[in-house]
Amino acid sequence: MAPAARGAGGDLKILYWQAPTILNPHQAGGTKDNDASRLMIEPMAAYGPDGKPIAVLAAEIPTVANGGVSKDLTTVTWKLKPGLKWSDGSAFSSADVVFSWTYRCDKDSATTTFSKCADVASVKASDPNTAVVTYTAPNANFYLWGVGSTEGILQQTQFKDCVGTKAKDCPANLKPIGTGPYKLVEFKPGDVTTYDINPNYRDANKPYFKTVTLKGGGDAESAARAVCQTGDIDYGWNLNVPLSVLQPMLSAADSKCQFPISYNALERVTLNFANPDAALGAKRSEPDTKHPYLSDIHVRRALAMASNRAQIAEKQYGKPGGEAYCNVAVFPRSKNTDSLDVCKYDLAAAEKELQDNGWVKGTDGIRAKGNVKLVISYITTTSAIRQNNQQILKADWEKIGFKVNISNSIADTFFTNTAPDGYAKFFADLQEFASSQDPDATDFMDSNYTCANVTGQANNWNNGNTGRYCNPDYDAVIKSLKAETDQAKRDALVIQANDILVKDVAVISLVNRTAPTANGFAKTLKGVKQSPFESSLYDIADWSK
Amino acid sequence: MATAAKVSPASAGRSAVVLRAQRSLWQDAWHTFSRDRLAVTGLVVLAVITLGALVGPYVWSDQGKEIDFGLSLSGPSLAHPFGNDDLGRDLLARAMLGARVSLAVGVSAVVLAITLGTTIGAVAGYFGRLDNPLMRLTDLFLSLPVLPLLLVLVYLFKDTLQRTIGLELGTFIMIVSVIGFLNWMPTARLVRASFLTLKQREFVEAARSVGAPHGRIIFRHILPNSLSPVLVAATIGIGGAIITESTLSFLGLGFPPDQPTLGRILYEAVNYLDFAPHWAIVPGLAIFLIVLAINFIGDGLRDALDPRRKI
Amino acid sequence: MGRFVARRLLVAIPTLLAISFVMYAILALAPIDPLAGFAADPRVPPEVRENIRRSLGLDEAWPYRYVKWLLAAVQGNFGISFVSRSSVSDLLWQRLPTTLAVVGVAYIVGVIIALPAGILSAARRNTVTDHVISLSAYIGFSVPTFFTGVLLIIIFSIKLHWLTFLYDSRVTVHDLDSLVVQIKQSIMPIAVLGLFDAAILTRYIRASMLENLPLDYVRTAHAKGLAERLVVLRHVLRNSLIPVVTLVALGVPAVFGGAIVTEQIFHVPGIGALLITSIGNGDTPVVTAVVLIFAVLVVGFNLIADVLYAVLDPRVKYT
């Protein structure tokens, strides 16, 4: 394809059913804000579709081979592209890079991207075109700082008075100046954002579209209609609707939309290893209690074997939505689990597992052992797909002698550490939700399943391990993973950790969903290369019609 | 008095005059009501729907909860006269299961709201002293943010209620109280307004001058004359309550996802309107018929209970 | 009358204080969190979330926060939104024109339809006209807005391609063309809301007319030999309008509260949409401001309704 002329296209119309409310990625309240700011604010490099970094502001990706990364894996030297300019025409320099680090790592700035600051000892400008990052210790994940959608560089001139407590209500948060392909025209928080081409953008032939309108609000179903049926919208974000709604729109003769396929969001059923019995009062779901029947591996195995992942993936998600998945880690993907019985749907085997291990059917058809009955409470967020998943799983589980009570709560409440029907307090036996992983799975595997991260009253229900799963063998593998610097060995350790979780049924994975989100876009839109690790709009400069 | 019904047609003209004085208000009302064709039709329709909801699920063999993807979104057929939903479940069976819950929720919630509203409105309108505090309470309820309030209610009571009286009954009581306690305000305003006007009327002043006690004046003289707005509010409220219930389900406050209600089935059907329109027909029609029947009954009741009708 | 109004205005202050306190307590107790969007995201760990909560002042006890908020609010300062970090007043002003253009116009349309429909329905009681109007009203309020909204979208946007269901708040009416654009984008939400309002109002107006039809003065008018038309228009209407005016006045605050469902379906950035997303985001400064303004309107319009009542109906005495 010949390079399209800059600004030859007209207006690009994007629809986000969750509307952006702020345009500073470091103060973002969610993906929507990150994405809306990404048209202007850029990082040093982006994670490409294969998880490998692509240079954005950097002239090249530093590696050990090209000398950009020190042999001991503690310092990384980032060379900037020459002649970079901000959209207001002023020169971009390494001082801005250093400033952005100062800004986001000032505790009082209260940035949402603060977590990586602990691993970075300093960011220094060795010359106007070079920034040097020094980690506190040798870091195998040396792209931690600088690569990805959380790593945007802010303009020092604009934000210099916004550091610390003043960051909270800084006007620049709503109209940042950036280096990206577009500059802001108007921003109405929670409604619509309009952009115009950045005349100082580094690539003379890009972007193709002259203006961008990012409309917010509504719901996923109507967004899908606007993209696939009326064609009013060129790009719709997170069209997460049941396949039975989406399929007729896709297969219609005049369907106007397509979906990229890149999976990296694990939809899973988390099992509660603590006891959620209300009679326990303050001890409810505390890590030192034990679940009456989910602590029994046979019960967990039976649940896993009676979970029809293939049917859920095929009927609820389809190709645009996700694939059936039994592993926990997405990158790298374990092959060892393919043959495991807990990954195969087999009702008879599941029933046998319960029968052989003392769980016998009572007169009411519910299996029990002693006075422990297999009555399950299963909660998730309010969403058409998830409610269907619940009902499909319930039907199968009840066939083998469980009694399942399902319930749901709106996402806004579910994802809090205060709500009794929230995911953190987890006053239920099972819960279902999804989250994505970095190309390096360490963070995910650590925060979700190690003993140190078990959530509970002691940490104000802030920790990530909501299943309260604790297994010293697993912790040992994660410990060596964190210390390992050789990539091949790291991959082997991730797979080893993954296999432990799957065999032990610490969690029941269902579907590996489309990532970053199930975005649908016009068939006429070209050049879109979604990356499961990046903001949905990271490559908007390459899009054309 | 019971002889009234047995009067032979020949003597009806003469005896009616004599017997009218003997008939109680309620018998009299029933007499008028039973002659109102629309009202009786409404009663019959409502009875049929109620019967269908109560008995239907036992007669119609399909349980409405069987998932069968082979039948997903298939239209009406002999085996499934109203077709199937996206999980292949029989819609007739689901609608019958749903109507049971919806009717119970709609009627109970409205009875609660109307009772509360009428009491507060009557007291405020009749006793000038209590008017201000009660109306300010009404203001308070009118301006409370409903959604956060609902979330707080779940937070505080859902668990306890479900634990003490069971999952189903607990949820039911929760929903009925939530809808009832959040919808009495318009009725209270209407009844109060009606009371303010009526208590200055001649017949009330007459009753007062002969020393009738407050209770008698309120219940015998003013309330029957204020019934009209109350009945309108009630009949409008039932449709509203059935719909509101579906909204609550989607906040996670309502019945569990596998318990169908008419409002919920309709809500789920909406996204399939263009390629599986049959889904929306049963719940939509059922809600409409219920609302229609109840309105006809309400109109008939109002006419029957209207004290001025006899003039 | 003057003393009555003055006293009511005085009572309004403690009422509003009570409302604001209860509302603040509810929001403080409700399980909502401005950082819920980052839950289950290992990139935003617990310490970071706690730190952000602290920077927003959420670590202080809520009664203390309430007093601070109240002191600022009485000076017209509603604070800064937790999620957009801009002034709450700015956000509200941004939403107001759209809300009035859609929800407000819909309410007016509803009243304009309901007045003649309700009057006609009562005056021609038990005729075909009455039955048609009543039946339409029953359909109107038994079919929920989420249903009619989607139905209209499927017919007019998807099948016919006549109208858009993506409301654009940037359209300003300054000439004929922009007026057409504005009408084309707002006609569906206005129809959905307006017809729903009209259905309910029609029933109330009909009922209130029927209350007055059999009254003594009406019969006197009839006895004097006045034409039916005149009786209805001059006598019944005037008196039945009293509760109707009250009813209409009491419905006005709801306009400013927005219409959550319809706004969502048609992507209308009104106050209803702002309220619902702010609740979801745990954005308490925005929620409290919207609710407080709503409370002021409720109290205000209740007062107006009561005054109108006394002015229009000489039989009502205020003590």
Side-chain angles (χ1 to χ4, degrees):
Chain A
M1 195 175 65
R6 172 185 278 196
D11 187 35
L12 176 71
K13 292 190 178 64
I14 301 176
L15 182 60
Y16 267 60
W17 52 267
Q18 274 181 10
T21 48
I22 194 166
L23 294 177
N24 178 350
H26 299 291
Q27 301 285 350
T31 330
K32 60 196 168 53
D33 303 323
N34 251 321
D35 291 358
S37 74
R38 188 57 186 272
L39 278 66
M40 303 170 291
I41 305 289
E42 297 178 311
M44 301 302 280
Y47 282 117
D50 55 358
K52 303 229 157 51
I54 305 168
V56 177
L57 294 171
E60 59 170 357
I61 299 297
T63 57
V64 181
N66 67 18
V69 180
S70 67
K71 289 234 160 51
D72 63 351
L73 307 184
T74 46
T75 60
V76 181
T77 307
W78 290 93
K79 286 261 177 223
L80 300 176
K81 283 193 172 121
L84 283 174
K85 281 201 171 92
W86 293 99
S87 62
D88 63 356
S90 61
F92 178 94
S93 81
S94 52
D96 293 305
V97 181
V98 175
F99 168 77
S100 294
W101 173 70
T102 325
Y103 168 84
R104 81 186 247 206
C105 293
D106 184 323
K107 200 170 184 206
D108 291 330
S109 298
T111 56
T112 48
T113 55
F114 182 76
S115 67
K116 296 183 181 173
C117 295
D119 297 321
V120 179
S122 72
V123 177
K124 291 201 174 95
S126 58
D127 69 60
N129 260 327
T130 315
V132 181
V133 180
T134 310
Y135 291 103
T136 48
N139 194 338
N141 186 9
F142 44 77
Y143 298 128
L144 182 80
W145 194 92
V147 187
S149 60
T150 57
E151 306 299 298
I153 306 292
L154 302 174
Q155 190 191 38
Q156 183 173 16
T157 328
Q158 193 187 19
F159 279 88
K160 64 177 184 298
D161 295 327
C162 295
V163 185
T165 48
K166 283 174 291 182
K168 188 164 63 172
D169 50 356
C170 172
N173 289 335
L174 301 177
K175 44 177 188 196
I177 293 167
T179 50
Y182 292 94
K183 62 175 186 177
L184 189 70
V185 176
E186 190 190 14
F187 177 50
K188 289 184 170 182
D191 178 14
V192 64
T193 319
T194 39
Y195 309 84
D196 197 0
I197 217 161
N198 169 10
N200 296 305
Y201 187 57
R202 55 186 174 271
D203 190 329
N205 290 322
K206 288 172 182 172
Y208 174 77
F209 295 100
K210 188 171 180 327
T211 55
V212 177
T213 306
L214 195 154
K215 166 85 181 157
D219 52 68
E221 281 85 3
S222 71
R225 289 188 185 282
V227 179
C228 297
Q229 291 187 312
T230 66
D232 286 342
I233 294 294
D234 300 309
Y235 186 96
W237 171 81
N238 199 8
L239 309 181
N240 184 21
V241 296
L243 188 68
S244 54
V245 175
L246 197 58
Q247 194 59 54
M249 298 187 196
L250 287 176
S251 50
D254 59 347
S255 172
K256 298 178 170 68
C257 64
Q258 55 179 327
F259 281 80
I261 313 278
S262 56
Y263 304 132
N264 173 26
L266 187 65
E267 181 82 22
R268 57 194 188 272
V269 176
T270 299
L271 291 77
N272 197 344
F273 283 81
N275 190 349
D277 186 354
L280 292 174
K283 281 304 233 176
R284 200 174 180 190
S285 284
E286 276 301 289
D288 54 348
T289 61
K290 200 171 134 202
H291 197 283
Y293 54 82
L294 287 177
S295 51
D296 179 346
I297 174 78
H298 303 294
V299 175
R300 300 202 299 271
R301 279 169 51 82
L303 281 173
M305 288 188 277
S307 303
N308 197 344
R309 299 176 175 89
Q311 188 181 54
I312 290 175
E314 184 198 332
K315 300 293 179 187
Q316 297 300 312
Y317 296 87
K319 237 185 146 187
E323 54 171 350
Y325 204 67
C326 189
N327 286 314
V328 181
V330 177
F331 302 96
R333 180 178 295 216
S334 169
K335 295 278 175 211
N336 311 332
T337 50
D338 294 352
S339 52
L340 286 181
D341 52 357
V342 288
C343 289
K344 286 199 189 93
Y345 172 65
D346 187 342
L347 279 185
E351 188 149 28
K352 189 167 178 297
E353 180 90 21
L354 291 174
Q355 189 69 34
D356 290 355
N357 290 286
W359 296 96
V360 285
K361 261 190 185 159
T363 46
D364 50 3
I366 305 170
R367 287 182 186 274
K369 189 192 247 179
N371 51 8
V372 180
K373 268 184 149 188
L374 295 184
V375 178
I376 295 179
S377 58
Y378 171 12
I379 189 166
T380 186
T381 68
T382 305
S383 110
I385 298 188
R386 288 197 175 130
Q387 255 71 276
N388 281 352
N389 293 352
Q390 278 186 317
Q391 295 180 65
I392 294 169
L393 289 172
K394 174 186 165 125
D396 276 331
W397 290 342
E398 292 201 334
K399 277 182 199 146
I400 59 166
F402 286 92
K403 165 91 181 106
V404 184
N405 296 316
I406 56 181
S407 65
N408 58 294
S409 74
I410 46 173
D412 309 323
T413 315
F414 185 76
F415 289 119
T416 61
N417 60 348
T418 47
D421 47 1
Y423 85 124
K425 287 205 171 164
F426 199 1
F427 290 165
D429 303 312
L430 305 178
Q431 63 184 4
E432 180 186 338
F433 61 91
S435 56
S436 54
Q437 301 169 21
D438 280 338
D440 187 295
T442 315
D443 251 7
F444 181 88
M445 301 299 271
D446 180 14
S447 65
N448 278 289
Y449 303 105
T450 53
C451 301
N453 281 307
V454 166
T455 200
Q457 202 159 18
N459 49 60
N460 195 25
W461 295 279
N462 262 321
N463 279 0
N465 183 352
T466 55
R468 282 87 165 155
Y469 176 74
C470 183
N471 177 350
D473 296 346
Y474 178 78
D475 279 15
V477 178
I478 297 297
K479 197 173 166 215
S480 24
L481 171 63
K482 282 163 122 178
E484 183 57 61
T485 53
D486 178 71
Q487 193 54 46
K489 285 183 188 152
R490 287 179 64 83
D491 285 357
L493 284 167
V494 169
I495 287 175
Q496 194 186 341
N498 170 78
D499 296 353
I500 294 178
L501 294 180
V502 177
K503 281 182 195 148
D504 202 20
V505 199
V507 54
I508 301 175
S509 300
L510 296 175
V511 174
N512 186 14
R513 283 170 41 192
T514 309
T517 44
N519 309 317
F521 51 91
K523 280 181 175 162
T524 49
L525 201 59
K526 292 190 211 101
V528 184
K529 287 198 189 72
Q530 301 274 279
S531 160
F533 314 101
E534 261 297 345
S535 152
S536 301
L537 307 178
Y538 83 108
D539 60 341
I540 196 166
D542 302 335
W543 299 2
S544 67
K545 258 188 182 170
Chain B
M1 285 195 288
T3 52
K6 290 172 188 161
V7 173
S8 69
S11 60
R14 195 183 56 83
S15 12
V17 180
V18 181
L19 286 172
R20 170 159 286 177
Q22 295 176 6
R23 258 194 302 210
S24 77
L25 174 75
W26 297 107
Q27 279 178 316
D28 202 26
W30 170 245
H31 184 75
T32 322
F33 185 86
S34 60
R35 287 175 179 211
D36 185 334
R37 259 188 309 138
L38 283 180
V40 173
T41 314
L43 203 60
V44 171
V45 169
L46 194 65
V48 169
I49 294 180
T50 314
L51 200 71
L54 289 179
V55 183
Y58 299 104
V59 179
W60 190 242
S61 58
D62 192 306
Q63 279 293 296
K65 291 190 175 179
E66 282 293 315
I67 294 174
D68 181 355
F69 279 105
L71 290 168
S72 177
L73 293 180
S74 49
S77 64
L78 226 60
H80 306 281
F82 288 103
N84 305 75
D85 67 7
D86 61 335
L87 297 183
R89 294 171 298 194
D90 181 75
L91 278 169
L92 176 61
R94 285 185 72 72
M96 289 190 300
L97 286 170
R100 190 188 291 194
V101 180
S102 290
L103 270 173
V105 167
V107 174
S108 325
V110 167
V111 167
L112 179 63
I114 295 292
T115 314
L116 262 176
T118 311
T119 314
I120 291 171
V123 171
Y126 189 78
F127 303 102
R129 195 183 294 273
L130 292 173
D131 187 21
N132 224 328
L134 282 178
M135 283 303 108
R136 300 299 72 76
L137 182 76
T138 313
D139 286 355
L140 175 85
F141 268 86
L142 274 173
S143 36
L144 280 183
V146 177
L147 194 56
L149 186 66
L150 290 176
L151 296 178
V152 173
L153 286 175
V154 191
Y155 183 85
L156 297 176
F157 301 117
K158 190 179 177 184
D159 223 39
T160 332
L161 259 178
Q162 291 184 344
R163 198 146 31 98
T164 43
I165 48 178
L167 186 69
E168 267 116 44
L169 193 64
T171 316
F172 179 78
I173 290 180
M174 177 98 200
I175 291 172
V176 167
S177 345
V178 162
I179 301 179
F181 281 110
L182 290 176
N183 285 298
W184 56 268
M185 296 81 77
T187 316
R189 293 267 344 175
L190 288 170
V191 171
R192 167 182 171 270
S194 187
F195 264 65
L196 280 181
T197 316
L198 289 170
K199 78 173 176 190
Q200 312 290 347
R201 287 273 174 85
E202 301 79 354
F203 66 93
V204 177
E205 278 175 4
R208 204 176 288 138
S209 65
V210 298
H214 290 313
R216 193 180 164 81
I217 297 179
I218 292 180
F219 286 108
R220 269 296 164 83
H221 299 281
I222 308 187
L223 200 54
N225 283 292
S226 314
L227 269 184
S228 177
V230 175
L231 281 174
V232 173
T235 48
I236 289 180
I238 287 188
I242 291 176
I243 306 296
T244 308
E245 181 280 317
S246 69
T247 322
L248 294 185
S249 302
F250 282 83
L251 294 176
L253 174 67
F255 293 98
D258 53 342
Q259 168 65 61
T261 68
L262 291 178
R264 177 192 279 271
I265 302 175
L266 187 62
Y267 192 97
E268 287 171 349
V270 156
N271 286 317
Y272 298 84
L273 264 184
D274 43 350
F275 43 85
H278 68 268
W279 190 345
I281 289 173
V282 217
L285 207 64
I287 294 176
F288 174 61
L289 283 178
I290 291 172
V291 169
L292 197 67
I294 285 173
N295 271 283
F296 284 162
I297 297 170
D299 277 359
L301 268 184
R302 203 216 17 221
D303 288 351
L305 294 175
D306 189 345
R308 283 169 308 212
R309 183 188 43 81
K310 275 173 279 183
I311 301 170
Chain C
M1 178 57 67
R3 270 190 55 197
F4 164 73
V5 174
R7 218 188 48 194
R8 277 291 297 276
L9 281 175
L10 223 66
V11 176
I13 296 170
T15 309
L16 285 173
L17 273 178
I19 293 177
S20 72
F21 181 77
V22 173
M23 161 196 82
Y24 208 93
I26 287 175
L27 285 169
L29 293 173
I32 50 179
D33 179 4
L35 297 164
F38 283 119
D41 186 344
R43 284 172 299 192
V44 186
E47 318 78 79
V48 173
R49 278 187 262 165
E50 280 298 323
N51 187 36
I52 296 170
R53 277 190 207 111
R54 201 160 35 241
S55 84
L56 296 173
L58 285 170
D59 53 336
E60 289 159 351
W62 72 264
Y64 175 70
R65 276 191 279 145
Y66 169 69
V67 175
K68 271 211 314 203
W69 168 82
L70 189 70
L71 291 177
V74 291
Q75 296 165 38
N77 176 8
F78 290 118
I80 301 289
S81 153
F82 284 170
V83 293
S84 91
R85 308 298 173 86
S86 58
S87 122
V88 172
S89 322
D90 288 354
L91 290 176
L92 288 175
W93 280 116
Q94 226 165 60
R95 302 296 180 119
L96 195 63
T98 309
T99 309
L100 291 179
V102 176
V103 191
V105 171
Y107 191 62
I108 295 172
V109 168
V111 173
I112 289 175
I113 296 175
L115 267 180
I119 293 168
L120 204 64
S121 175
R124 297 266 148 76
R125 192 179 183 196
N126 289 333
T127 62
V128 177
T129 321
D130 178 26
H131 291 321
V132 169
I133 292 175
S134 295
L135 198 67
S136 319
Y138 297 146
I139 299 177
F141 60 79
S142 62
V143 182
T145 46
F146 65 72
F147 184 87
T148 32
V150 174
L151 188 68
L152 289 187
I153 289 177
I154 288 174
I155 297 173
F156 293 106
S157 304
I158 290 165
K159 300 287 178 212
L160 297 173
H161 296 287
W162 288 355
L163 303 168
T164 174
F165 61 95
L166 301 166
Y167 189 95
D168 187 348
S169 61
R170 294 166 305 164
V171 173
T172 50
V173 177
H174 48 81
D175 55 15
L176 199 64
D177 284 351
S178 56
L179 182 67
V180 171
V181 172
Q182 175 62 21
I183 290 175
K184 276 179 92 171
Q185 71 169 345
S186 58
I187 191 162
M188 286 198 293
I190 288 175
V192 167
L193 282 175
L195 292 178
F196 193 77
D197 289 343
I200 291 177
L201 278 173
T202 304
R203 292 301 291 170
Y204 278 118
I205 292 173
R206 179 179 181 273
S208 134
M209 290 283 293
L210 289 180
E211 282 292 281
N212 282 282
L213 275 173
L215 289 185
D216 296 341
Y217 65 90
V218 179
R219 256 179 293 124
T220 316
H222 273 294
K224 283 197 303 191
L226 286 179
E228 175 71 22
R229 251 176 93 89
L230 267 173
V231 174
V232 170
L233 284 181
R234 196 174 287 169
H235 295 272
V236 182
L237 186 57
R238 225 175 78 187
N239 284 287
S240 344
L241 269 186
I242 299 164
V244 171
V245 166
T246 318
L247 217 68
V248 172
L250 290 177
V252 173
V255 168
F256 293 88
I260 291 171
V261 174
T262 315
E263 286 180 10
Q264 171 153 337
I265 292 175
F266 294 102
H267 302 79
V268 177
I271 289 175
L274 178 68
L275 183 64
I276 192 92
T277 48
S278 301
I279 289 168
N281 290 333
D283 198 350
T284 20
V286 177
V287 182
T288 44
V290 174
V291 175
L292 188 73
I293 292 169
F294 189 63
V296 170
L297 290 169
V298 167
V299 171
F301 276 90
N302 271 323
L303 177 60
I304 291 173
D306 282 349
V307 172
L308 279 175
Y309 217 79
V311 172
L312 294 172
D313 191 343
R315 287 171 304 196
V316 176
K317 274 189 254 164
Y318 279 103
T319 45

